[in-house]
Amino acid sequence: MTSRVCVVTGAGRGIGRAAAIHLSGQGHRVALVARTESELVSTAAECPGETLVLPTDVTRPDSAGEILDTIAEKWGLTQILVAAAGRNRSAKLDETTDSHWQSMLDLNLTSVFQWLRAALPPMAANGWGRAIVVSSIAGKRGFKHLSAYAAAKHGVIGLVRSAALELAHTGVTVNAVCPAYVDTELTERTIESIVAQAGWTRADALHHVNSLQPIGRMISTNEVVQALSALIDNAGMTGQSIHVDGGLVHG
């Protein structure tokens, strides 16, 4: 197996953390990016291989270029980008403020655009690269009270498809994974929000979230990482948005 230089955004928690640990276990060098340094240090401690802890706010326009330059100075060209930074926030449409709307676009769409814009041209010039964006099943269908988040996630899938077509002849692939509810801290906050807004017990809210997946449970981070790993390995898959949703959405 060829050891690659990787960067994972959102590496402090959830899917990003699981992806970073997996890539490290596969023999790759992994740069860990998120806002909270202590969470990145915790992730690094679980990685068996070489890591860089690079705290930053990925929504800051210059962050992508600065981080990629730092990685290049230490290790060379970034060859695998996993854009896993993201969050959701629920509100009814008529209660979605402009700042709520903008924050969802800034993190879940605009920051991904900025990271792809910075990372993909050097990969293309080098003749090999993989970019994988963690989108959501909310990028494939609507959900009540998630209009801003769903709009951003739909947008990022369009971004992935367009970038993949531009780079299809270069040896670089660009794909997305689209999980349903994953057993992470982010989903725990969703459950807490359901409890607060609907007045349900936590047990009822958890049952509701589990029941949304036809398999009757949340998706594990490992199941998402398995899909991500397949996209790295397969040069013939590009412009795809792979569902990891327990059968929730077809097509």
Side-chain angles (χ1 to χ4, degrees), residues 28-139:
H28 304 302
R29 289 179 288 179
V30 186
L32 311 173
V33 175
R35 286 185 298 177
T36 306
E37 184 172 7
S38 61
E39 293 180 347
L40 296 179
V41 170
S42 176
T43 300
E46 297 295 320
C47 291
E50 191 176 359
T51 61
L52 291 174
V53 171
L54 300 173
T56 192
D57 179 354
V58 297
T59 66
R60 188 168 54 82
D62 295 333
S63 69
E66 291 172 0
I67 293 295
L68 294 171
D69 285 347
T70 298
I71 296 169
E73 291 171 4
K74 299 283 188 179
W75 291 341
L77 173 69
T78 294
Q79 298 163 295
I80 297 173
L81 165 65
V82 178
R87 69 173 183 272
N88 64 20
R89 181 180 168 194
S90 64
K92 294 179 180 179
L93 179 64
D94 61 355
E95 296 175 356
T96 299
T97 65
D98 287 350
S99 62
H100 173 169
W101 173 267
Q102 194 61 53
S103 69
M104 291 294 95
L105 294 184
D106 288 346
L107 179 56
N108 296 304
L109 177 56
T110 303
S111 74
V112 178
F113 156 70
Q114 290 164 343
W115 278 78
L116 292 179
R117 182 177 61 182
L120 292 180
M123 291 182 189
N126 193 51
W128 195 95
R130 300 288 184 266
I132 301 168
V133 176
V134 178
S135 182
S136 167
I137 212 67

Side-chain angles (χ1 to χ4, degrees), residues 1-249:
M1 181 187 65
T2 302
S3 177
R4 303 288 187 180
V5 174
C6 310
V7 59
V8 180
T9 71
R13 302 178 183 178
I15 295 170
R17 175 184 170 91
I21 294 169
H22 172 81
L23 289 169
S24 182
Q26 293 293 304
H28 304 302
R29 289 179 288 179
V30 186
L32 311 173
V33 175
R35 286 185 298 177
T36 306
E37 184 172 7
S38 61
E39 293 180 347
L40 296 179
V41 170
S42 176
T43 300
E46 297 295 320
C47 291
E50 191 176 359
T51 61
L52 291 174
V53 171
L54 300 173
T56 192
D57 179 354
V58 297
T59 66
R60 188 168 54 82
D62 295 333
S63 69
E66 291 172 0
I67 293 295
L68 294 171
D69 285 347
T70 298
I71 296 169
E73 291 171 4
K74 299 283 188 179
W75 291 341
L77 173 69
T78 294
Q79 298 163 295
I80 297 173
L81 165 65
V82 178
R87 69 173 183 272
N88 64 20
R89 181 180 168 194
S90 64
K92 294 179 180 179
L93 179 64
D94 61 355
E95 296 175 356
T96 299
T97 65
D98 287 350
S99 62
H100 173 169
W101 173 267
Q102 194 61 53
S103 69
M104 291 294 95
L105 294 184
D106 288 346
L107 179 56
N108 296 304
L109 177 56
T110 303
S111 74
V112 178
F113 156 70
Q114 290 164 343
W115 278 78
L116 292 179
R117 182 177 61 182
L120 292 180
M123 291 182 189
N126 193 51
W128 195 95
R130 300 288 184 266
I132 301 168
V133 176
V134 178
S135 182
S136 167
I137 212 67
K140 308 303 283 289
R141 54 163 284 187
F143 287 86
K144 292 192 298 184
H145 304 167
L146 288 177
S147 55
Y149 179 75
K153 292 299 189 179
H154 273 72
V156 88
I157 290 174
L159 171 64
V160 162
R161 290 170 173 167
S162 296
L165 286 174
E166 289 188 26
L167 295 165
H169 65 288
T170 68
V172 177
T173 66
V174 188
N175 291 289
V177 292
C178 298
Y181 283 103
V182 182
D183 189 8
T184 63
E185 298 94 332
L186 182 65
T187 300
E188 181 59 36
R189 290 198 294 273
T190 298
I191 292 169
E192 292 171 357
S193 177
I194 293 171
V195 170
Q197 294 183 21
W200 295 359
T201 66
R202 185 186 181 282
D204 286 341
L206 178 61
H207 175 75
H208 171 70
V209 169
N210 283 331
S211 70
L212 293 175
Q213 288 77 221
I215 59 175
R217 61 168 176 82
M218 285 186 274
I219 305 301
S220 73
T221 56
N222 184 56
E223 287 166 331
V224 181
V225 167
Q226 288 174 11
L228 183 152
S229 183
L231 292 171
I232 292 173
D233 292 340
N234 193 327
M237 296 177 70
T238 194
Q240 304 304 306
S241 49
I242 305 301
H243 300 178
V244 191
D245 64 355
L248 178 62
V249 175

